[in-house]
Amino acid sequence: MLPLFLLALSCITVEASEKHADYVVLGKSINHRQSPDGDLAFLNTVFFGEIFRTKNGTVTNGYLSGPGEASGNLRFSEGDVLFLAGKRQFSIEALTENFPDTTYYFNYDTPDGNMRDMPVTFTRDKGEIRNPGPIKIFLQQDGETADPRAINPGLDLVVSWSKFEKGRADPKGIIDDMIYVIMGNCMGEKIVHSGPAFNDGPNLTFREREFVISKESLHPGQPYQVEVEQSEMDTDEYKKIEIIVTYAASSFLDIKTTGANIQELNCPDVPYAMDGGQTDRERIY
C-alpha cells in the first residue's frame, strides 16, 4: 500500500490535469469537394489528433506516440486547440498502412502536472469502413432551393445534408455522434460554427438535419465556403479526460452572395482554404 502522502499527490495530479485539458480526439477522415452543380470530387484522407483545453487551461509539449508514422512521436501544434495531422493519403487503406488501427498514446504537459501514455484506440474490423459516405450539401433560402453561386445576403441560409446513416447515440452516454457545420470567408477564416463537442451552448448531433446561417453573417458580393462534417465516434474516459475516436467525413462547398462588395476584404477568385482537408487550394492561416 502506498504511503498516504503519495496517494494524496497522485489524486492531486489527476485532478490538476483535468483542470487544463478538457478532452482529446483522434480520428481518420475522408474529404470531398462539392461543385456548384452538386458533383462530389474526392480530395484525400487524413489521420489527425486534437487536445482541447479547458477555458483557462494551459497545455503544452503535446505529442502522440504509437505505431507507424507515430513511432517517432508526432508533435502537436501549440494554441487554443493543440492539433496534428499525418501525411494525407488517397484511401483509408493507404492511410491505415501508415497509421494502423490500434492503440496510440497522448502525452502533454500542464502547469500542475503532466499526462503520459493516455491510451486511445481505433477499433475496426478488417475491411470494415466506419467513415460516413460522401456528404452532399443542400442550400435553401426562404423555403426555396438556393444556387450556391447566387446567395441572397438579405436572407438566412439554411444548410442541410444527406442523411447521416451511421449516426447513433453513444451507448456509454458520453457524447452522441456529431455533425459540424462551418462557414469561412474568402481568406480562410472560420466565421460561423455550429458548436464543438462538449459545448455548453448549441451543437448538432446525428439527429439534426439542418443548420441556419444567419443573414447577419452574410455580406453582399462576397465568396464564402461551407463545410459539413459527420463524425461517427467511439468514446471513453481516462483520468477524468473524455476521449473521442472519430471516423469522419467532410464536404466543402464554395458559395457567393449577390450584390456589390462593400467590404474591405480583397478576396481572391478562389477562397483560401479554411481547413487542411482542402488540399486543392492554398492556405494562408
Side-chain angles (χ1 to χ4, degrees):
M1 181 175 179
L2 286 173
L4 288 177
F5 77 92
L6 288 179
L7 284 172
L9 179 60
S10 175
C11 292
I12 290 171
T13 301
V14 171
E15 184 178 350
S17 179
E18 185 203 11
K19 289 180 180 178
H20 293 275
D22 192 5
Y23 63 99
V24 302
V25 178
L26 196 64
K28 294 181 180 182
S29 184
I30 303 175
N31 298 302
H32 287 80
R33 162 86 50 204
Q34 181 172 322
S35 74
D37 296 321
D39 298 322
L40 290 166
F42 173 80
L43 292 174
N44 55 72
T45 64
V46 65
F47 171 97
F48 67 95
E50 297 169 300
I51 303 172
F52 287 82
R53 302 183 309 158
T54 58
K55 183 177 181 180
N56 297 312
T58 300
V59 178
T60 59
N61 190 35
Y63 63 94
L64 186 77
S65 59
E69 282 189 25
S71 61
N73 293 345
L74 295 175
R75 308 295 306 191
F76 286 88
S77 65
E78 304 288 343
D80 290 340
V81 177
L82 286 70
F83 180 82
L84 68 77
K87 182 180 179 181
R88 295 178 186 273
Q89 300 292 337
F90 296 98
S91 70
I92 288 294
E93 291 75 16
L95 192 69
T96 300
E97 289 181 10
N98 291 356
F99 296 99
D101 290 323
T102 185
T103 301
Y104 297 79
Y105 299 92
F106 279 73
N107 305 269
Y108 54 84
D109 298 346
T110 80
D112 298 316
N114 303 332
M115 176 65 77
R116 291 294 180 266
D117 297 330
M118 176 195 291
V120 179
T121 302
F122 286 100
T123 304
R124 184 170 70 100
D125 294 334
K126 186 176 181 180
E128 180 186 18
I129 296 178
R130 294 194 56 186
N131 300 73
I135 303 163
K136 192 162 186 179
I137 300 171
F138 306 96
L139 306 175
Q140 282 194 325
Q141 289 189 297
D142 199 24
E144 302 290 336
T145 299
D147 185 337
R149 295 159 290 198
I151 298 299
N152 186 338
L155 297 173
D156 291 344
L157 178 63
V158 180
V159 181
S160 58
W161 43 85
S162 48
K163 187 177 179 181
F164 189 177
E165 298 284 357
K166 294 178 178 287
R168 62 183 175 88
D170 182 4
K172 295 183 179 180
I174 295 175
I175 190 167
D176 295 339
D177 290 347
M178 295 285 293
I179 294 173
Y180 306 97
V181 179
I182 303 166
M183 186 176 78
N185 63 17
C186 64
M187 305 306 289
E189 297 172 301
K190 297 177 181 180
I191 57 176
V192 175
H193 198 297
S194 59
F198 302 110
N199 184 28
D200 291 336
N203 54 27
L204 304 175
T205 72
F206 71 96
R207 300 175 183 85
E208 275 70 53
R209 297 302 304 271
E210 64 180 34
F211 175 75
V212 178
I213 296 174
S214 170
K215 62 184 179 183
E216 305 301 324
S217 297
L218 301 170
H219 300 284
Q222 286 285 316
Y224 295 94
Q225 47 194 318
V226 173
E227 174 186 359
V228 175
E229 175 184 339
Q230 296 178 352
S231 177
E232 182 184 357
M233 306 188 301
D234 294 334
T235 63
D236 207 343
E237 187 175 289
Y238 182 81
K239 295 184 178 180
K240 299 185 179 181
I241 306 295
E242 285 93 358
I243 294 169
I244 293 175
V245 177
T246 178
Y247 306 84
S250 289
S251 288
F252 304 95
L253 173 64
D254 290 339
I255 66 174
K256 187 170 184 180
T257 53
T258 57
N261 179 11
I262 57 174
Q263 299 296 302
E264 294 182 359
L265 285 179
N266 184 19
C267 289
D269 292 336
V270 176
Y272 290 113
M274 66 174 178
D275 184 275
Q278 296 170 290
T279 49
D280 56 342
R281 55 189 54 184
E282 185 181 358
R283 189 177 187 184
I284 59 174
Y285 286 103

